[in-house]
Amino acid sequence: MAAARKVSDSETLMTHRALPEDANPAGNVHGGVILKHIDLAGAVCAMRHARMGVVTASIDRMEFKAPVHVGELMLLYASVNRVGKQSMEIGVRVVVENLMTGELRHAASAYLTFVAMGPDRKPAPTPDLILETPTHERRNREAEMRRKLRLEERQRERQAQESEKISHGNP
């Protein structure tokens, strides 16, 4: 497995200027367009950490906080928060810049989990993560809490599904 990598080694900034084809008739960028760019920025960050291909496994806590308008610049900041055996949580923050006034606002945030894929197209080990700052340490702790909650939720869902199968006699 590759040597551990620092958070700063894979931090990613991508930009996208919102164009008319990105928006609805009111001039607001569609959430799906923003989500596409979040996924792309997250994937680039994950690939920079793993130095191999990745696939999106899940998206958590997708929050739209402010609209993005045609003509504005989306700045997508992506950073590795946590690394598991084959997966990584990437946090992506979208800041919008009004290019005429310089005004900045927080438009969206999300946490995405990516799985590293080896040359055989199967999940592969990812390098460990070196946390460099107190912010990185906090993000790592929060990512671990989100992971724990996801696993607990999946377990509750499985139990509910099994209970439903038993009570209805379904296989």
Side-chain angles (χ1 to χ4, degrees), residues 109-146:
S109 289
Y111 300 105
L112 300 92
T113 300
F114 291 90
V115 174
M117 303 301 281
D120 59 356
R121 302 270 189 222
K122 294 186 190 242
T126 57
D128 288 335
L129 185 64
I130 299 169
L131 306 172
E132 303 168 89
T133 69
T135 298
H136 296 161
E137 292 170 5
R138 175 186 52 78
R139 289 176 180 167
N140 184 262
R141 283 191 307 274
E142 292 168 351
E144 189 57 46
M145 287 188 286
R146 282 187 292 276

Side-chain angles (χ1 to χ4, degrees), residues 72-155:
E72 293 181 320
L73 184 67
M74 290 191 300
L75 300 114
L76 298 104
Y77 297 92
S79 181
V80 180
N81 291 337
R82 182 193 169 279
V83 170
K85 292 178 188 146
Q86 301 168 327
S87 66
M88 298 156 275
E89 183 193 273
I90 310 297
V92 180
R93 180 181 177 96
V94 181
V95 175
V96 176
E97 179 181 351
N98 178 313
L99 293 171
M100 299 301 126
T101 66
E103 174 200 1
L104 298 173
R105 68 183 177 283
H106 182 191
S109 289
Y111 300 105
L112 300 92
T113 300
F114 291 90
V115 174
M117 303 301 281
D120 59 356
R121 302 270 189 222
K122 294 186 190 242
T126 57
D128 288 335
L129 185 64
I130 299 169
L131 306 172
E132 303 168 89
T133 69
T135 298
H136 296 161
E137 292 170 5
R138 175 186 52 78
R139 289 176 180 167
N140 184 262
R141 283 191 307 274
E142 292 168 351
E144 189 57 46
M145 287 188 286
R146 282 187 292 276
R147 179 181 180 276
K148 183 179 180 213
L149 290 171
R150 274 193 309 274
L151 294 175
E152 289 171 357
E153 182 179 18
R154 283 186 202 139
Q155 181 63 29

Side-chain angles (χ1 to χ4, degrees), residues 17-90:
R17 185 159 185 225
L19 300 173
E21 60 264 21
D22 296 329
N24 61 24
N28 296 325
V29 175
H30 290 287
V33 171
I34 297 169
L35 187 54
K36 172 187 165 185
H37 288 284
I38 287 172
D39 188 44
L40 181 58
V44 168
C45 181
M47 290 176 75
R48 292 177 82 187
H49 180 78
R51 291 296 175 199
M52 62 183 83
V54 300
V55 295
T56 308
S58 69
I59 298 174
D60 286 345
R61 298 220 355 230
M62 178 66 234
E63 295 182 65
F64 295 101
K65 297 182 173 286
V68 178
H69 304 289
V70 169
E72 293 181 320
L73 184 67
M74 290 191 300
L75 300 114
L76 298 104
Y77 297 92
S79 181
V80 180
N81 291 337
R82 182 193 169 279
V83 170
K85 292 178 188 146
Q86 301 168 327
S87 66
M88 298 156 275
E89 183 193 273
I90 310 297

